[in-house]
Amino acid sequence: MTVDPFVTHRSLLFTVAYEMLSSAADAEDVVQETWLRWADVDHDEVRDARAFLVRIVTRQALNRLRTLSRRREDYVGEWLPEPLLTSPDVAEDVELAESVSIAMLTVLETLGPTERAVFVLREVFDLSYDEIADAVGKKSAAVRQIARRAREHVAARRPRMEVGRAEQERVVARFIAALNTGDLQELMDVLAPDVVAVADGGGQVPATRRPVVGAEKLVALFTAGLRKVASFAGAPVWVNGAPAVRVEVDGEVAGTISVIVENGRVTRLFSVWNPHKLAWLADEAVLTR
Protein backbone atom coordinates (compact mmCIF):
# COMPACT_ATOMS: atom_id res chain seq x y z
CA MET A 1 0.00 0.00 0.00
CA THR A 2 1.39 3.39 -1.04
CA VAL A 3 1.77 5.93 1.77
CA ASP A 4 0.32 9.36 1.04
CA PRO A 5 3.24 11.77 0.43
CA PHE A 6 1.60 14.25 2.80
CA VAL A 7 1.88 11.73 5.63
CA THR A 8 5.49 10.96 4.67
CA HIS A 9 6.50 14.62 4.72
CA ARG A 10 4.22 15.89 7.49
CA SER A 11 7.03 16.27 10.03
CA LEU A 12 9.09 18.24 7.51
CA LEU A 13 6.14 20.51 6.72
CA PHE A 14 5.48 21.19 10.40
CA THR A 15 9.13 22.01 11.03
CA VAL A 16 9.28 24.41 8.07
CA ALA A 17 6.13 26.17 9.29
CA TYR A 18 7.29 26.30 12.91
CA GLU A 19 10.70 27.73 12.02
CA MET A 20 8.98 30.41 9.96
CA LEU A 21 6.27 31.23 12.51
CA SER A 22 7.79 30.38 15.93
CA SER A 23 4.39 29.07 16.95
CA ALA A 24 3.38 25.42 17.16
CA ALA A 25 -0.33 26.31 17.04
CA ASP A 26 0.06 28.46 13.92
CA ALA A 27 2.37 25.88 12.33
CA GLU A 28 -0.24 23.17 12.86
CA ASP A 29 -2.92 25.39 11.30
CA VAL A 30 -0.69 25.97 8.27
CA VAL A 31 -0.06 22.23 7.92
CA GLN A 32 -3.82 21.61 7.98
CA GLU A 33 -4.33 24.27 5.31
CA THR A 34 -1.63 22.58 3.25
CA TRP A 35 -3.44 19.26 3.59
CA LEU A 36 -6.68 20.80 2.30
CA ARG A 37 -4.90 22.17 -0.76
CA TRP A 38 -3.10 18.87 -1.31
CA ALA A 39 -6.41 17.02 -1.17
CA ASP A 40 -7.79 19.24 -3.96
CA VAL A 41 -5.09 18.55 -6.54
CA ASP A 42 -4.68 15.64 -8.93
CA HIS A 43 -1.74 13.79 -7.39
CA ASP A 44 -0.92 12.09 -10.69
CA GLU A 45 -0.08 15.53 -12.11
CA VAL A 46 2.46 16.28 -9.34
CA ARG A 47 5.99 15.23 -10.37
CA ASP A 48 7.72 15.99 -7.05
CA ALA A 49 5.34 15.73 -4.10
CA ARG A 50 7.90 16.90 -1.53
CA ALA A 51 8.73 20.08 -3.46
CA PHE A 52 5.04 20.70 -4.15
CA LEU A 53 4.10 20.35 -0.46
CA VAL A 54 7.00 22.52 0.72
CA ARG A 55 5.92 25.20 -1.76
CA ILE A 56 2.36 25.16 -0.41
CA VAL A 57 3.37 25.20 3.25
CA THR A 58 5.87 28.02 2.61
CA ARG A 59 3.31 30.20 0.88
CA GLN A 60 0.71 29.57 3.58
CA ALA A 61 3.27 30.31 6.30
CA LEU A 62 4.34 33.51 4.55
CA ASN A 63 0.75 34.73 4.41
CA ARG A 64 0.28 34.01 8.10
CA LEU A 65 3.65 35.47 9.06
CA ARG A 66 2.79 38.81 7.49
CA THR A 67 -0.39 38.94 9.57
CA LEU A 68 1.39 37.85 12.74
CA SER A 69 4.13 40.45 12.24
CA ARG A 70 1.54 43.21 12.40
CA ARG A 71 0.01 41.72 15.56
CA ARG A 72 3.38 41.40 17.27
CA GLU A 73 3.95 45.13 16.90
CA ASP A 74 1.19 45.62 19.49
CA TYR A 75 2.31 42.78 21.78
CA VAL A 76 2.61 43.68 25.46
CA GLY A 77 6.19 43.32 26.69
CA GLU A 78 8.79 41.02 25.17
CA TRP A 79 7.67 38.54 22.51
CA LEU A 80 9.29 35.09 22.57
CA PRO A 81 8.72 32.01 20.38
CA GLU A 82 6.18 29.47 21.55
CA PRO A 83 8.02 26.63 23.34
CA LEU A 84 7.94 23.32 21.50
CA LEU A 85 8.33 19.97 23.23
CA THR A 86 11.04 17.93 21.53
CA SER A 87 12.46 14.48 22.13
CA PRO A 88 15.99 14.24 23.59
CA ASP A 89 17.35 12.73 20.37
CA VAL A 90 16.73 16.02 18.54
CA ALA A 91 19.82 17.34 20.34
CA GLU A 92 21.89 14.71 18.52
CA ASP A 93 21.16 16.49 15.23
CA VAL A 94 23.16 19.63 15.99
CA GLU A 95 21.90 21.63 13.01
CA LEU A 96 18.24 20.81 13.67
CA ALA A 97 18.59 21.52 17.40
CA GLU A 98 20.17 24.91 16.73
CA SER A 99 17.61 25.84 14.08
CA VAL A 100 14.66 25.29 16.46
CA SER A 101 16.36 26.71 19.56
CA ILE A 102 14.67 29.63 21.27
CA ALA A 103 17.84 31.67 20.82
CA MET A 104 17.95 31.09 17.05
CA LEU A 105 14.21 31.62 16.57
CA THR A 106 14.56 34.92 18.40
CA VAL A 107 17.23 35.94 15.88
CA LEU A 108 15.01 34.85 12.97
CA GLU A 109 12.33 37.21 14.29
CA THR A 110 14.58 40.09 13.20
CA LEU A 111 14.29 39.04 9.54
CA GLY A 112 11.51 40.09 7.20
CA PRO A 113 8.99 37.40 6.17
CA THR A 114 10.56 36.62 2.77
CA GLU A 115 14.12 36.73 4.16
CA ARG A 116 13.12 34.34 6.89
CA ALA A 117 11.51 31.90 4.46
CA VAL A 118 14.56 31.96 2.20
CA PHE A 119 16.97 31.49 5.11
CA VAL A 120 15.02 28.58 6.60
CA LEU A 121 14.58 26.78 3.29
CA ARG A 122 18.20 27.26 2.21
CA GLU A 123 20.23 27.06 5.42
CA VAL A 124 18.15 24.56 7.36
CA PHE A 125 16.59 22.36 4.68
CA ASP A 126 19.15 22.88 1.90
CA LEU A 127 16.65 23.49 -0.88
CA SER A 128 17.99 24.68 -4.21
CA TYR A 129 17.61 28.34 -5.17
CA ASP A 130 15.21 27.35 -7.95
CA GLU A 131 13.01 25.43 -5.49
CA ILE A 132 13.02 28.35 -3.07
CA ALA A 133 12.24 30.82 -5.86
CA ASP A 134 9.21 28.74 -6.78
CA ALA A 135 8.08 28.63 -3.14
CA VAL A 136 8.39 32.36 -2.40
CA GLY A 137 7.39 33.67 -5.83
CA LYS A 138 10.74 35.29 -6.71
CA LYS A 139 13.34 34.80 -9.42
CA SER A 140 16.28 32.57 -8.60
CA ALA A 141 18.80 35.43 -8.90
CA ALA A 142 16.79 37.51 -6.43
CA VAL A 143 16.60 34.58 -4.02
CA ARG A 144 20.39 34.25 -4.08
CA GLN A 145 20.74 37.90 -3.04
CA ILE A 146 18.09 37.56 -0.33
CA ALA A 147 19.81 34.41 0.97
CA ARG A 148 23.18 36.18 1.16
CA ARG A 149 21.74 39.16 3.06
CA ALA A 150 19.79 36.92 5.43
CA ARG A 151 22.84 34.73 6.07
CA GLU A 152 24.99 37.77 6.92
CA HIS A 153 22.24 39.20 9.12
CA VAL A 154 21.85 35.98 11.10
CA ALA A 155 25.61 35.35 11.33
CA ALA A 156 26.07 38.72 13.03
CA ARG A 157 23.41 37.93 15.63
CA ARG A 158 23.28 34.16 16.05
CA PRO A 159 24.23 32.72 19.42
CA ARG A 160 27.64 31.06 19.39
CA MET A 161 27.12 28.12 21.69
CA GLU A 162 29.79 25.45 21.89
CA VAL A 163 28.45 23.55 24.88
CA GLY A 164 28.20 19.78 24.96
CA ARG A 165 24.95 18.08 25.81
CA ALA A 166 26.34 16.68 29.08
CA GLU A 167 27.44 20.12 30.31
CA GLN A 168 24.13 21.68 29.29
CA GLU A 169 22.19 19.03 31.22
CA ARG A 170 24.46 19.36 34.25
CA VAL A 171 24.10 23.14 34.49
CA VAL A 172 20.34 23.03 33.93
CA ALA A 173 20.05 20.39 36.67
CA ARG A 174 21.98 22.67 39.05
CA PHE A 175 19.73 25.57 38.12
CA ILE A 176 16.58 23.52 38.74
CA ALA A 177 17.88 22.25 42.09
CA ALA A 178 18.65 25.81 43.20
CA LEU A 179 15.15 26.94 42.20
CA ASN A 180 13.44 24.06 44.00
CA THR A 181 15.43 24.30 47.22
CA GLY A 182 15.43 28.08 47.32
CA ASP A 183 19.22 28.02 47.75
CA LEU A 184 19.96 31.60 46.77
CA GLN A 185 23.74 31.22 47.02
CA GLU A 186 23.68 28.21 44.69
CA LEU A 187 21.44 30.18 42.34
CA MET A 188 23.95 33.05 42.36
CA ASP A 189 26.76 30.56 41.67
CA VAL A 190 25.08 28.92 38.68
CA LEU A 191 24.12 32.26 37.10
CA ALA A 192 26.75 34.29 35.26
CA PRO A 193 27.18 37.74 36.88
CA ASP A 194 25.92 39.43 33.69
CA VAL A 195 23.13 36.94 32.96
CA VAL A 196 20.27 38.32 30.86
CA ALA A 197 16.70 37.14 31.46
CA VAL A 198 13.89 37.78 28.97
CA ALA A 199 10.30 37.02 29.97
CA ASP A 200 7.12 36.78 27.89
CA GLY A 201 3.86 37.22 29.73
CA GLY A 202 1.97 38.75 26.83
CA GLY A 203 0.04 41.01 29.19
CA GLN A 204 -1.82 37.90 30.38
CA VAL A 205 0.19 37.25 33.54
CA PRO A 206 2.73 39.29 35.53
CA ALA A 207 6.16 39.30 33.86
CA THR A 208 8.96 41.79 33.40
CA ARG A 209 8.42 43.78 30.23
CA ARG A 210 12.11 44.46 29.67
CA PRO A 211 15.15 42.18 29.91
CA VAL A 212 16.62 41.85 33.39
CA VAL A 213 20.42 42.07 33.47
CA GLY A 214 22.56 40.76 36.31
CA ALA A 215 22.44 37.79 38.68
CA GLU A 216 21.71 39.90 41.78
CA LYS A 217 18.67 41.55 40.17
CA LEU A 218 17.39 38.21 38.90
CA VAL A 219 17.75 36.46 42.28
CA ALA A 220 15.98 39.37 44.00
CA LEU A 221 13.15 39.10 41.46
CA PHE A 222 12.90 35.35 42.03
CA THR A 223 12.79 35.80 45.80
CA ALA A 224 10.02 38.39 45.52
CA GLY A 225 8.03 36.07 43.24
CA LEU A 226 8.26 33.15 45.65
CA ARG A 227 6.55 35.19 48.35
CA LYS A 228 3.45 35.49 46.18
CA VAL A 229 2.81 31.76 45.57
CA ALA A 230 1.93 28.80 47.80
CA SER A 231 4.13 26.32 45.94
CA PHE A 232 6.76 26.41 43.20
CA ALA A 233 8.44 23.52 41.40
CA GLY A 234 10.81 23.26 38.46
CA ALA A 235 11.14 20.04 36.44
CA PRO A 236 13.44 19.08 33.56
CA VAL A 237 11.90 19.03 30.11
CA TRP A 238 13.23 19.00 26.55
CA VAL A 239 12.12 22.17 24.78
CA ASN A 240 13.26 23.31 21.34
CA GLY A 241 16.02 20.74 21.15
CA ALA A 242 17.65 21.46 24.52
CA PRO A 243 17.26 20.75 28.25
CA ALA A 244 14.96 23.34 29.82
CA VAL A 245 12.71 23.89 32.82
CA ARG A 246 8.97 23.39 33.14
CA VAL A 247 7.65 25.51 35.99
CA GLU A 248 4.62 24.61 38.06
CA VAL A 249 3.06 27.18 40.39
CA ASP A 250 0.46 26.02 42.90
CA GLY A 251 0.25 22.69 41.09
CA GLU A 252 -0.41 24.10 37.61
CA VAL A 253 1.96 24.47 34.64
CA ALA A 254 2.88 28.15 34.63
CA GLY A 255 5.72 28.45 32.16
CA THR A 256 8.97 27.24 30.65
CA ILE A 257 12.50 28.52 31.01
CA SER A 258 14.99 27.93 28.23
CA VAL A 259 18.60 28.16 29.35
CA ILE A 260 21.74 29.26 27.51
CA VAL A 261 24.96 27.91 29.05
CA GLU A 262 28.49 29.18 28.54
CA ASN A 263 31.59 28.25 30.52
CA GLY A 264 29.58 26.22 33.02
CA ARG A 265 27.14 28.98 33.96
CA VAL A 266 23.79 30.30 32.81
CA THR A 267 24.24 33.37 30.60
CA ARG A 268 20.73 33.83 29.19
CA LEU A 269 17.23 32.81 30.23
CA PHE A 270 14.14 32.89 28.00
CA SER A 271 10.99 32.33 30.03
CA VAL A 272 7.50 32.02 28.56
CA TRP A 273 4.57 32.59 30.92
CA ASN A 274 1.85 33.60 28.47
CA PRO A 275 -0.75 30.82 28.96
CA HIS A 276 -1.76 30.98 25.29
CA LYS A 277 1.72 29.73 24.37
CA LEU A 278 1.78 26.80 26.80
CA ALA A 279 -1.00 24.57 25.48
CA TRP A 280 1.42 22.25 23.65
CA LEU A 281 3.28 21.42 26.86
CA ALA A 282 0.55 18.94 27.79
CA ASP A 283 1.21 16.86 24.64
CA GLU A 284 3.95 14.36 23.83
CA ALA A 285 7.04 15.62 22.04
CA VAL A 286 5.91 17.33 18.85
CA LEU A 287 9.29 17.28 17.12
CA THR A 288 11.40 14.14 16.99
CA ARG A 289 14.53 13.35 15.04
Side-chain angles (χ1 to χ4, degrees), residues 78-144:
E78 296 286 334
W79 187 95
L80 289 175
E82 183 178 313
L84 182 70
L85 280 181
T86 53
S87 61
D89 63 357
V90 169
E92 297 173 10
D93 186 332
V94 176
E95 290 186 359
L96 176 60
E98 183 191 21
S99 71
V100 298
S101 70
I102 294 292
M104 176 57 81
L105 292 174
T106 302
V107 172
L108 294 185
E109 285 295 318
T110 64
L111 292 171
T114 301
E115 288 178 316
R116 184 167 184 171
V118 170
F119 181 86
V120 167
L121 294 177
R122 180 63 182 174
E123 299 301 315
V124 181
F125 299 103
D126 198 31
L127 266 65
S128 70
Y129 290 113
D130 288 342
E131 288 176 305
I132 298 171
D134 196 23
V136 301
K138 301 278 186 183
K139 292 184 178 180
S140 184
V143 166
R144 287 178 180 271

Side-chain angles (χ1 to χ4, degrees), residues 11-200:
S11 179
L12 166 68
L13 301 177
F14 178 86
T15 308
V16 169
Y18 178 74
E19 293 199 23
M20 287 181 60
L21 300 170
S22 297
S23 164
D26 286 305
E28 184 61 31
D29 286 346
V30 164
V31 170
Q32 291 302 318
E33 291 167 3
T34 301
W35 158 249
L36 292 175
R37 282 159 176 74
W38 171 248
D40 279 342
V41 302
D42 183 350
H43 298 173
D44 292 334
E45 297 295 320
V46 179
R47 289 184 296 177
D48 186 338
R50 179 180 182 273
F52 183 85
L53 289 166
V54 168
R55 181 169 70 246
I56 296 175
V57 82
T58 299
R59 290 178 177 176
Q60 294 302 314
L62 270 173
N63 291 338
R64 184 161 296 223
L65 183 56
R66 293 183 178 110
T67 300
L68 292 175
S69 296
R70 290 191 290 272
R71 291 180 190 170
R72 289 171 190 171
E73 292 175 0
D74 299 323
Y75 197 79
V76 177
E78 296 286 334
W79 187 95
L80 289 175
E82 183 178 313
L84 182 70
L85 280 181
T86 53
S87 61
D89 63 357
V90 169
E92 297 173 10
D93 186 332
V94 176
E95 290 186 359
L96 176 60
E98 183 191 21
S99 71
V100 298
S101 70
I102 294 292
M104 176 57 81
L105 292 174
T106 302
V107 172
L108 294 185
E109 285 295 318
T110 64
L111 292 171
T114 301
E115 288 178 316
R116 184 167 184 171
V118 170
F119 181 86
V120 167
L121 294 177
R122 180 63 182 174
E123 299 301 315
V124 181
F125 299 103
D126 198 31
L127 266 65
S128 70
Y129 290 113
D130 288 342
E131 288 176 305
I132 298 171
D134 196 23
V136 301
K138 301 278 186 183
K139 292 184 178 180
S140 184
V143 166
R144 287 178 180 271
Q145 292 300 315
I146 294 171
R148 179 184 58 79
R149 291 196 303 269
R151 192 161 48 244
E152 292 173 353
H153 179 95
V154 172
R157 295 163 176 79
R158 78 189 310 160
R160 288 170 173 80
M161 297 175 288
E162 298 182 0
V163 178
R165 174 172 168 175
E167 181 181 0
Q168 177 86 10
E169 290 186 276
R170 178 179 61 79
V171 174
V172 171
R174 279 187 64 197
F175 177 64
I176 292 174
L179 291 177
N180 287 338
T181 61
D183 187 335
L184 301 185
Q185 184 56 57
E186 175 64 9
L187 192 56
M188 285 290 295
D189 290 343
V190 77
L191 296 174
D194 57 351
V195 61
V196 178
V198 181
D200 177 348

Side-chain angles (χ1 to χ4, degrees), residues 174-255:
R174 279 187 64 197
F175 177 64
I176 292 174
L179 291 177
N180 287 338
T181 61
D183 187 335
L184 301 185
Q185 184 56 57
E186 175 64 9
L187 192 56
M188 285 290 295
D189 290 343
V190 77
L191 296 174
D194 57 351
V195 61
V196 178
V198 181
D200 177 348
Q204 305 296 312
V205 295
T208 56
R209 296 190 179 184
R210 294 177 181 272
V212 177
V213 181
E216 290 187 1
K217 288 183 180 179
L218 193 56
V219 170
L221 196 64
F222 170 68
T223 304
L226 280 182
R227 298 193 190 105
K228 300 177 181 178
V229 300
S231 67
F232 174 97
V237 65
W238 283 85
V239 170
N240 292 79
V245 188
R246 181 175 60 198
V247 177
E248 292 188 4
V249 173
D250 298 337
E252 299 289 338
V253 175

